[in-house]
């Protein structure tokens, strides 16, 4: 959760998405932060008793967006058109961008451009009240879970790029504990609710096995 990062790194890639204080979703976020503090990530990701799954997924998706935003914000100086002319996660995996609306046909682009497209697209989804309603009593749309899955699948690619192409910089900045904790939390969450296909996780499968094996 975002509290892990304190105020040491205030640089974010995109503006932080805030959950309105006093709202039910804010209470859920506080619950998640308190549970995370216990150190048991398997427990922390479970749906709290009596809560709505859509709302729980929504709150956590916003939080993962904020975390990745901060993590990527710390390494933007190292992720440039020159250093990363393609959006990749190691030599075997390359990502081309399409959002189905503005860019219908997948395009090859540099990693910073791809991540800019991706984070802007995610932000647009999170800001859409018909998709992510913040008011109590406003129902989630029928396609909410499929939208959330697409968001999480795409956010995973930012983690994959950071680990494969910029882990040396992360170590240099002494951010590896933050990155590992954030990614482990993310993986436990998507595993708990089966939100990302296993094949999509392939670029980091070895790391996932390592991070999750101690907690089985």
């Amino acid at each position: 959760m975002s509290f892990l990062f304190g105020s040491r790194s205030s640089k974010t890639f995109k503006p932080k998405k805030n959950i309105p204080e006093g709202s039910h979703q804010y209470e859920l976020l506080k619950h998640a932060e308190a549970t995370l503090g216990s150190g048991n990530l398997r427990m922390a990701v479970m749906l709290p008793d009596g809560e709505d799954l859509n709302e729980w997924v929504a709150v956590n998706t916003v939080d993962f967006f904020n975390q990745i935003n901060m993590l990527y914000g710390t390494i933007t100086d190292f992720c440039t058109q020159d250093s990363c002319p393609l959006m990749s996660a190691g030599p075997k995996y390359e990502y081309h961008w399409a959002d189905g609306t503005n860019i219908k046909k997948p395009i090859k682009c540099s990693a910073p451009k791809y991540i800019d497209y991706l984070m802007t697209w995610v932000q647009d989804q999170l800001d859409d009240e018909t998709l992510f309603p913040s008011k109590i009593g406003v129902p989630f749309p029928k396609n909410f879970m499929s939208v959330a899955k697409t968001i999480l699948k795409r956010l995973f690619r930012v983690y994959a790029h950071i680990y494969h192409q910029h882990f040396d910089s992360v170590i240099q900045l002494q951010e590896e504990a933050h990155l590992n904790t954030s990614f482990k939390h993310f993986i436990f969450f998507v595993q708990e609710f089966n939100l990302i296909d296993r094949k999509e996780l392939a670029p980091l499968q070895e790391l996932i096995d390592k991070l999750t094996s101690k907690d089985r």
Side-chain angles (χ1 to χ4, degrees), residues 60-160:
N60 281 277
T61 300
V62 169
D63 195 56
F64 289 127
F65 168 77
N66 286 333
Q67 286 186 43
I68 292 166
N69 204 358
M70 258 193 280
L71 286 163
Y72 185 67
T74 63
I75 57 116
T76 46
D77 292 348
F78 308 99
C79 186
T80 64
Q81 305 268 5
D82 295 333
S83 69
C84 304
L86 291 170
M87 175 62 179
S88 61
K92 283 202 238 159
Y93 300 96
E94 191 181 300
Y95 300 111
H96 300 167
W97 178 254
D99 58 16
T101 315
N102 299 321
I103 299 171
K104 294 195 164 87
K105 203 173 162 201
I107 56 166
K108 271 189 184 195
C109 54
S110 68
K113 190 78 189 141
Y114 184 101
I115 293 170
D116 190 18
Y117 279 137
L118 187 157
M119 297 300 267
T120 303
W121 177 84
V122 173
Q123 206 168 22
D124 289 345
Q125 311 309 301
L126 299 181
D127 288 342
D128 184 342
E129 278 287 327
T130 64
L131 278 177
F132 279 77
S134 58
K135 294 176 180 68
I136 289 182
V138 177
F140 283 84
K142 287 191 171 59
N143 67 333
F144 170 75
M145 209 49 92
S146 74
V147 172
K149 284 179 176 181
T150 304
I151 291 172
L152 293 165
K153 175 180 78 176
R154 289 177 171 173
L155 289 176
F156 168 82
R157 294 170 182 176
V158 185
Y159 281 120

